Amino acid sequence: MSGKDKVKVGEKMLSVRISRFNPADQSAPKIKEYSVKVHEGARVLDVLKAVRDTLDPTLLFRHCCGAGQCGSCALKVNGEPRLACMTEAADGMLLEPLDLPVIRDLVTDIGKYLKEMPYLVPACEECAGSDGSDASSSGSCSCACSCSFAMPSKEETAEMKPLRDCIECLCCVSVCPAVKVTDFAGPTYMRQEMRLALDPRDCDKDRIIGITEKGLFNCTTCQACVLACPKSIKIPGKAIEKLRILANREGLTLPRHKEVAGLVKTTGRSVQPLPDRKGLIESIDEVLEPYGDVKGEVGFFTGCLYDLRMQSTALDAIEVLRRNGIRIITPKEQVCCGSPLIRTGQTAIVPELMKKNIDCFVKHGIKTVMTVCAGCGSTLKNDYDTPFEVKDINEILTAIDIEKPEKIGLKIAYHDPCHLLRGQGIREQPRRLLRLITDDFVEMPSECCGSGGGVKSGNPAEAEAIGKLRGEEIKESGCDIVATSCPFCEIHVGSVTDKPVRNINTLLVEGYRKKDAKNAENASVKNAPQEQ
Amino acid sequence: MLADNVTDCHVLVVGSGGAGCRAAVEAAKYGDVILLSRSVTGKGGCTTMAEGGYNAVLNPKDSCSSHFEDTIRGGAYLNDRELVKILVEEAPERFADLMNWGAVFDLSCDCDGFEGTHPAQRHFGGQKFNRTCYSGDRTGHEIMATLMEKVRGGDIRIIQEVTVIDLLTETLSGGEVRVCGAVGLDRDGNMIVLRCDAVVLATGGTGQIYDVCTNCATGNGQGYAMAYRAGAELIDMEMVQFHPTGAVYPYDARGRLITEAVRGEGGYLKNSRGERFMAKYDPERMELSTRDVVARSIATEIAEGRGTDKGGVYLDVTHLGAAVIEERLPMMLAQLLNFGVDIRKEPMEVAPTAHHMMGGLRITPECRTTIKGLFACGEVTGGIHGANRLGGNSLADTQVFGKRAGEFAGKSVMHRALMNSPAIVGQLAAEELRFNRFLNGSDSIAEIKERLRKTMWENVGIFRTAEELETALAEIEELSEMTPKADSPAVLAECCVLEDMLTVAALVVRGALLREESRGAHVRKDIVQDWTPETSPYGHTYQSIYREGIEKAGAEDISAEGAGKGGNVQ
């Protein structure tokens, strides 16, 4: 406590908890609480300086430019990776090091990682010429080496610039689930590889092969890195998926991914139908009317898994919608959204799929297309340019006042599907629905299950390793049951925990059935005396 | 604590900003190089924060003699002409290096004078031609990213998060002193000794001796202090550039740089009455006058009561429209939004802030300092920018002189110092004594630093008088008598840095007392002079442990032909 000076105008006292750790004489970090005087508008960095200058000179933290440009001062503020110099300090905040090897207190070992960052292999001096000032100059080599040399065009420059914003703070690496448990070089490493792959000045001919050996196919495209990035660089979309396209051109696509692409090409679906079961679309009417008054209408984009594998979950969703006044139109011509191809770099037939899908909903005059699969939803929203609105079922159901189900007396944890939470920004709606179902809702950290980005199909062992972490978090939550809102997560999370994993709509239907049964019982109790 | 951590190399480069990295890349062509920095490599220094641009004559309609004249005129005729000539002539070549190594600069296809696609160039203050190349408003970051790729791809040994605290010297048979290495402290306070054939100092500037500055946390001026102790001569240490536009609030963000590109793109400076006051001070160049003029104009407006409530003036870009602001000034927009100001809709508030050191180590065109074995490049050197630096010239400076320092240090003769030489043993023993003094010290580092920064800001700012300078000097002397306390060995480096800051501050004040005239960034309100910078009877101020004074020199022909004749390099 620095009580010796009075708090003046423009100053304030602030309490802060800081993780202190010295591996030399401590086995684990300890959280210490400080109360310190700072100026109004102080950033987290100013608080750290105040603690060091007035309370404990041994507090170790890294900082340099103070302007969000050097990337030295990244740490966790209340669990979220942030730059200390750019984040406004809040009373009671918790400051911890990034989830990287800790050297002392808030300082992590980032040097080791940065040393391995890929770099441009320039043309030999003869090829490059001496006058790079003329950016349009280009030429191929006249000397004995094999490099070619050209200055980037305006277009290439425009593509490279967003990837160049990186300040190498390693926030992305610290949150990446694939980095934690698989041989994945990490988000910013891949960002740098893509920046180099885009650059005509780079003369590393084997770059793409090298990247596939660095775990290119281990990224689940969970987008945790995008959220963590102080510069909001969209690494999965702008780097990982683009690199996978380049890998595809060099014949480096994984065998399982090729099979999926072959299947989509021949059948329009990314999975094979089960021999003993009819597809959902085949077995339902194209137009399904609600049970009561029509309150709304949606076009149902089922996606491959709900059509061919998980029909019962899809039927639960349909049941919930019909019960709440939504007319459902399910065009028969719809095909795979293309996500399994976009995520794995096999984009050749994607435009064709997009056209088919857009046309069939347009033909029905549909204004709102609803997705129940988080992956399809994210793809339709982010990769498509649709003439209609796309909404996830959680958005549809929370926009209307749905009928309350009977509560089920279970402790429910919710697994955020990456493509719903980070891909579509949908966080509150599923929670609101779950609170209708249970009074005992528990939060878990929003981590990837390991299934996305083609990892489960292409690299099952990596998917399992990431899933195992998720399994442990589920166990820690102490829940009876895990709810989710994505077919891929439902299957994969189900394989890493012994708790039942259910779609939110399945739970809603369960609540409605319980309610109906109770009503029927009440009715029978009421009716009973009359009959006697 | 005996140094058991001894490393040898041919060239030791201290500092991993733009100049240091460029020097290391060049020196590696001649022998093994260590690139050592206080920060994580590439994250230290001010290069990465430089926003606006890199001046280079690229357009066929532009000319080196025009760039030369702009630089000399902007520098109030105090520049070393030979160094300026090198700067303007080699800036395009070094820009080409960056482009060959992968730098991503903004391109354009529609500038008069060029054919086809070419690097885009913007207008910066004090220049007659649009010659400032840029990458949005994160040009320095782009240069650092490029250099770090080159460093990682090259054969360069990296030592990071080690604070160099002194240069090691040996006395040659003829009595001449030669720098033969450096001694540093690691994160835990362990001593590290580096022996080499040549040291390149690329430690940057010293904005941190001022209460309000744009510099990064490592801008403490250690290089000036270490070189001074080793016997090197410094020139024009009084020449501190105050950037006209630093942030005014919140308190802890005071001084943070608002790039000149904001004015370059057409921003207006207005006082609290809404007047574009630059019309009074420089009607011709208005907001794009040189930095010294704009900084003084803003300071005058504020001092005469036409400032804002928060103590600044307005810098307004709202008339440019949201689209232009978003494309050309994205980082500025994001940074100010972070502080609750949307520059698309409202003006910023700005005031001058300590920014760049024009003075520094006296160097030859080969970047040799006045002591053998010691080379220097970048902000730690003096003479290139004279009494006022043009925006966009320092990034060029880092590359031009970084390359030269690396090259000539690399060409140094190999003759390794002996670890057990009595001179080195003696120096290490002296360091031990210094450490013991700090470990037994009693004064707070933070308090000494705060008092220093306050007195420098109040007494050695934009407007100066002998009386205020003496006040500052007395305060610095008092602070130097104190003994900063190291609570643990890990804090020893901070104590050393603080002593270096005090040394540099004294050099700045003494330089300011030596220069009894107003010139460029240095304004003595207590002196009446009947000469202009062009006709000034004075040349450089100089200070070393051996001598101090001011050179008597007339201004010379500023044409490019005159270059090389009037240099004051010894």
Side-chain angles (χ1 to χ4, degrees):
Chain A
M1 175 75 216
S2 92
K4 65 180 170 181
D5 300 324
K6 277 199 181 137
V7 177
K8 291 179 248 162
V9 177
E11 297 175 340
K12 61 181 176 186
M13 292 304 293
L14 195 132
S15 82
V16 55
R17 289 170 299 142
I18 302 176
S19 171
R20 301 298 307 269
F21 183 45
N22 187 353
D25 52 22
Q26 263 176 284
S27 58
K30 250 195 189 138
I31 305 290
K32 273 190 83 174
E33 193 156 344
Y34 302 87
S35 180
V36 71
K37 189 172 74 178
V38 294
H39 291 100
E40 292 291 346
R43 308 286 118 172
V44 170
L45 179 59
D46 304 314
V47 173
L48 290 171
K49 285 182 185 169
V51 171
R52 180 198 59 194
D53 290 347
T54 62
L55 302 176
D56 185 351
T58 67
L59 173 66
L60 196 66
F61 55 96
R62 208 182 255 138
H63 68 109
C64 194
C65 78
Q69 270 310 102
C70 74
S72 300
C73 66
L75 44 61
K76 283 197 296 182
V77 181
N78 295 327
E80 302 290 333
R82 293 279 182 272
L83 295 180
C85 69
M86 297 303 283
T87 308
E88 189 157 358
D91 196 30
M93 65 186 174
L94 170 65
L95 306 180
E96 297 165 288
L98 291 180
D99 289 335
L100 297 170
V102 178
I103 291 172
R104 210 164 71 217
D105 295 341
L106 301 172
V107 172
T108 55
D109 189 1
I110 64 172
K112 206 188 285 169
Y113 186 93
L114 292 175
K115 226 170 82 187
E116 302 301 321
M117 286 287 275
Y119 46 82
L120 185 130
V121 177
C124 69
E125 276 179 19
E126 193 177 329
C127 300
S130 59
D131 186 15
S133 57
D134 178 4
S136 64
S137 75
S138 64
S140 57
C141 204
S142 60
C143 63
C145 74
S146 64
C147 48
S148 62
F149 181 78
M151 278 295 164
S153 65
K154 256 186 115 168
E155 292 69 31
E156 283 162 335
T157 297
E159 261 192 283
M160 279 189 280
K161 270 183 80 175
L163 295 171
R164 254 328 219 193
D165 286 339
C166 176
I167 55 171
E168 297 185 342
C169 63
L170 303 197
C171 283
C172 61
V173 177
S174 78
V175 297
C176 175
V179 165
K180 287 195 175 93
V181 289
T182 79
D183 285 331
F184 176 49
T188 194
Y189 183 97
M190 291 295 165
R191 171 207 57 78
Q192 173 68 357
E193 288 285 16
M194 186 62 211
R195 162 265 177 286
L196 294 168
L198 281 168
D199 200 321
R201 292 166 293 191
D202 181 47
C203 294
D204 182 352
K205 302 273 188 285
D206 299 322
R207 188 168 294 287
I208 302 298
I209 296 184
I211 297 166
T212 56
E213 287 160 3
K214 292 280 186 182
L216 176 62
F217 293 102
N218 288 5
C219 164
T220 64
T221 68
C222 75
Q223 319 273 339
C225 54
V226 183
L227 242 70
C229 177
K231 303 282 168 183
S232 305
I233 305 173
K234 297 188 173 76
I235 294 178
K238 299 265 185 222
I240 303 280
E241 289 167 10
K242 295 275 163 58
L243 285 169
R244 288 174 179 176
I245 293 176
L246 299 179
N248 180 253
R249 279 188 207 146
E250 305 217 356
L252 297 166
T253 298
L254 298 178
R256 272 292 291 135
H257 290 164
K258 277 191 218 163
E259 282 172 36
V260 172
L263 208 56
V264 175
K265 208 168 177 183
T266 51
T267 69
R269 284 295 181 208
S270 62
V271 291
Q272 262 164 340
L274 297 173
D276 55 341
R277 229 186 285 171
K278 261 180 151 182
L280 176 78
I281 297 178
E282 201 187 329
S283 56
I284 59 172
D285 290 337
E286 197 160 51
V287 180
L288 292 170
E289 292 296 337
Y291 300 141
D293 293 341
V294 181
K295 290 187 199 157
E297 177 187 292
V298 295
F300 183 13
F301 187 90
T302 69
C304 301
L305 282 186
Y306 285 135
D307 185 23
L308 298 181
R309 291 289 169 88
M310 303 179 65
Q311 294 91 341
S312 81
T313 306
L315 289 170
D316 289 337
I318 289 172
E319 176 69 16
V320 171
L321 290 162
R322 293 179 77 183
R323 192 159 171 143
N324 285 289
I326 307 291
R327 174 190 288 140
I328 305 153
I329 305 169
T330 316
K332 302 272 183 206
E333 308 91 322
Q334 59 181 290
V335 291
C336 172
C337 67
S339 173
L341 307 180
I342 299 170
R343 307 300 152 237
T344 59
Q346 309 177 86
T347 49
I349 64 159
V350 170
E352 200 182 309
L353 300 175
M354 287 178 168
K355 186 173 184 312
K356 255 189 200 159
N357 284 325
I358 291 172
D359 286 352
C360 76
F361 284 97
V362 167
K363 198 179 83 183
H364 284 83
I366 289 163
K367 299 219 167 44
T368 304
V369 169
M370 176 195 72
T371 50
V372 182
C373 169
C376 297
S378 176
T379 305
L380 261 57
K381 284 179 180 173
N382 302 318
D383 297 286
Y384 277 55
D385 186 10
T386 58
F388 42 75
E389 188 180 35
V390 179
K391 281 191 169 170
D392 178 77
I393 188 167
N394 290 286
E395 293 176 280
I396 306 264
L397 292 177
T398 46
I400 55 171
D401 196 13
I402 68 162
E403 181 194 341
K404 308 254 177 311
E406 185 69 23
K407 293 214 162 134
I408 45 181
L410 294 172
K411 183 181 252 190
I412 302 181
Y414 174 61
H415 168 80
D416 280 293
C418 297
H419 291 271
L420 196 62
L421 176 69
R422 289 177 283 269
Q424 302 180 52
I426 295 178
R427 184 192 148 79
E428 283 314 311
Q429 296 90 330
R431 287 170 169 76
R432 266 164 61 195
L433 294 173
L434 286 168
R435 288 203 175 90
L436 296 177
I437 302 169
T438 181
D439 289 325
D440 197 1
F441 175 75
V442 285
E443 287 287 358
M444 292 193 292
S446 302
E447 303 275 359
C448 178
C449 70
S451 146
V455 175
K456 189 173 170 69
S457 64
N459 278 340
E462 274 74 15
E464 200 187 315
I466 298 172
K468 226 173 134 188
L469 291 180
R470 197 58 181 151
E472 283 158 20
E473 282 159 354
I474 291 171
K475 201 168 170 190
E476 252 173 62
S477 78
C479 66
D480 301 314
I481 185 167
V482 182
T484 191
S485 191
C486 166
F488 294 93
C489 296
E490 194 175 333
I491 296 171
H492 193 61
V493 174
S495 73
V496 297
T497 175
D498 51 3
K499 306 287 176 204
V501 181
R502 297 281 180 272
N503 186 285
I504 295 172
N505 295 297
T506 305
L507 296 172
L508 279 170
V509 168
E510 203 177 304
Y512 286 143
R513 295 219 175 102
K514 206 170 159 190
K515 184 178 180 183
D516 293 346
K518 203 170 162 190
N519 286 345
E521 201 179 305
N522 285 347
S524 67
V525 170
K526 234 190 274 169
N527 292 339
Q530 290 173 349
E531 278 176 20
Q532 273 180 345
Chain B
M1 195 198 319
L2 210 85
D4 42 22
N5 194 340
V6 181
T7 310
D8 290 331
C9 63
H10 175 46
V11 175
L12 169 67
V13 180
V14 184
S16 71
C21 287
R22 186 63 185 82
V25 166
E26 201 63 27
K29 293 179 181 169
Y30 303 92
D32 60 330
V33 172
I34 288 178
L35 175 58
L36 183 148
S37 57
R38 230 190 125 192
S39 63
V40 174
T41 312
K43 293 192 178 300
C46 293
T47 305
T48 194
M49 304 163 72
E51 297 170 349
Y54 179 114
N55 292 342
V57 174
L58 302 178
N59 192 316
K61 291 196 169 174
D62 193 6
S63 71
C64 285
S65 59
S66 163
H67 188 186
F68 180 89
E69 277 183 39
D70 286 345
T71 302
I72 298 272
R73 189 166 286 135
Y77 305 88
L78 188 62
N79 322 57
D80 273 331
R81 275 123 214 273
E82 203 175 351
L83 298 180
V84 176
K85 191 161 183 281
I86 289 166
L87 175 77
V88 302
E89 283 176 358
E90 295 182 8
E93 293 167 25
R94 298 292 80 79
F95 182 75
D97 289 346
L98 290 169
M99 289 303 276
N100 288 341
W101 298 340
V104 183
F105 274 76
D106 283 18
L107 302 177
S108 172
C109 357
D110 48 10
C111 276
D112 185 28
F114 281 114
E115 274 175 41
T117 308
H118 57 84
Q121 293 185 292
R122 63 164 55 121
H123 187 191
F124 251 33
Q127 300 189 66
K128 291 197 270 334
F129 206 91
N130 292 359
R131 66 169 72 92
T132 308
C133 308
Y134 58 94
S135 181
D137 55 3
R138 51 160 200 72
T139 311
H141 173 265
E142 182 56 41
I143 290 175
M144 282 313 299
T146 306
L147 290 170
M148 283 312 294
E149 283 189 31
K150 195 73 187 155
V151 165
R152 286 169 189 152
D155 195 9
I156 294 166
R157 270 190 286 167
I158 282 174
I159 298 181
Q160 45 198 348
E161 301 196 291
V162 165
T163 306
V164 171
I165 55 167
D166 257 317
L167 297 169
L168 290 173
T169 55
E170 57 183 9
T171 308
L172 302 175
S173 50
E176 196 183 7
V177 171
R178 186 181 85 90
V179 170
C180 60
V183 53
L185 288 168
D186 73 7
R187 210 186 282 119
D188 299 314
N190 301 312
M191 193 147 71
I192 288 172
V193 173
L194 300 121
R195 293 180 303 176
C196 58
D197 303 315
V199 170
V200 175
L201 270 187
T203 46
T206 187
Q208 289 291 345
I209 60 173
Y210 283 93
D211 191 33
V212 177
C213 77
T214 62
N215 281 197
C216 65
T218 53
N220 301 303
Q222 278 195 280
Y224 307 107
M226 286 186 283
Y228 176 77
R229 279 198 296 277
E233 185 160 283
L234 298 125
I235 56 170
D236 302 334
M237 288 300 286
E238 68 283 4
M239 292 301 176
V240 180
Q241 180 168 71
F242 290 84
H243 195 288
T245 57
V248 172
Y249 67 93
Y251 185 88
D252 294 304
R254 287 172 312 145
R256 189 177 285 188
L257 183 65
I258 309 287
T259 172
E260 182 162 329
V262 174
R263 283 173 289 133
E265 295 295 347
Y268 295 152
L269 285 168
K270 293 177 186 170
N271 60 21
S272 60
R273 297 178 191 164
E275 299 159 346
R276 279 182 73 190
F277 55 83
M278 284 309 294
K280 268 189 301 194
Y281 304 94
D282 189 346
E284 203 177 309
R285 298 185 292 186
M286 293 295 285
E287 282 84 358
L288 284 170
S289 181
T290 48
R291 288 180 175 175
D292 51 347
V293 175
V294 182
R296 274 198 296 279
S297 308
I298 294 175
T300 305
E301 289 296 305
I302 297 169
E304 292 177 1
R306 292 183 296 278
T308 67
D309 294 343
K310 293 196 177 82
V313 296
Y314 294 114
L315 175 57
D316 193 353
V317 288
T318 52
H319 59 280
L320 298 177
V324 171
I325 294 168
E326 284 157 20
E327 195 209 320
R328 306 264 179 87
L329 304 166
M331 213 168 77
M332 232 41 294
L333 174 63
Q335 275 197 21
L336 280 135
L337 275 176
N338 190 275
F339 291 109
V341 179
D342 185 346
I343 62 169
R344 291 166 298 193
K345 296 180 186 145
E346 56 194 313
M348 298 159 248
E349 284 180 57
V350 297
T353 167
H355 184 51
H356 182 94
M357 191 69 186
M358 272 77 68
L361 286 161
R362 190 194 280 275
I363 56 164
T364 68
E366 295 182 345
C367 293
R368 295 177 199 279
T369 66
T370 56
I371 356 176
K372 214 174 165 62
L374 183 66
F375 296 76
C377 54
E379 196 173 339
V380 76
T381 67
I384 298 163
H385 306 291
N388 172 58
R389 177 180 64 87
L390 295 182
N393 263 0
S394 60
L395 285 181
D397 168 4
T398 63
Q399 298 308 289
V400 168
F401 293 95
K403 189 244 177 197
R404 284 181 159 257
E407 178 184 344
F408 293 103
K411 287 175 176 168
S412 300
V413 183
M414 308 224 182
H415 49 103
R416 208 143 275 173
L418 295 172
M419 189 58 212
N420 52 7
S421 82
I424 289 184
V425 171
Q427 286 169 69
L428 296 185
E431 297 297 349
E432 296 279 0
L433 287 177
R434 195 176 170 201
F435 299 157
N436 284 331
R437 188 159 54 85
F438 294 146
L439 289 167
N440 295 313
S442 52
D443 300 307
S444 148
I445 299 173
E447 279 175 35
I448 298 175
K449 202 183 280 182
E450 195 182 325
R451 277 177 62 185
L452 170 69
R453 290 161 55 100
K454 283 245 152 42
T455 196
M456 288 301 287
W457 185 246
E458 282 161 15
N459 300 307
V460 198
I462 296 179
F463 300 109
R464 299 163 175 180
T465 63
E467 195 190 336
E468 287 168 331
L469 293 171
E470 293 291 356
T471 304
L473 204 54
E475 174 84 346
I476 294 166
E477 272 161 20
E478 192 182 321
L479 295 173
S480 304
E481 298 287 305
M482 296 164 82
T483 309
K485 177 175 189 281
D487 291 74
S488 80
V491 189
L492 285 173
E494 270 307 311
C495 297
C496 296
V497 170
L498 177 59
E499 286 202 334
D500 285 350
M501 289 170 77
L502 290 165
T503 303
V504 178
L507 288 167
V508 172
V509 179
R510 290 209 304 269
L513 284 165
L514 285 170
R515 185 172 297 284
E516 296 182 327
E517 66 168 344
S518 294
R519 196 162 177 187
H522 172 73
V523 179
R524 284 284 298 266
K525 288 184 87 170
D526 56 341
I527 303 250
V528 181
Q529 66 193 55
D530 58 0
W531 60 84
T532 65
E534 204 169 356
T535 58
S536 168
Y538 297 120
H540 300 304
T541 60
Y542 53 87
Q543 301 178 67
S544 74
I545 49 177
Y546 309 112
R547 59 173 206 155
E548 66 172 44
I550 185 162
E551 291 164 359
K552 304 274 183 287
E556 296 140 64
D557 176 17
I558 68 152
S559 67
E561 291 74 49
K565 288 180 200 158
N568 292 310
V569 175
Q570 295 176 324

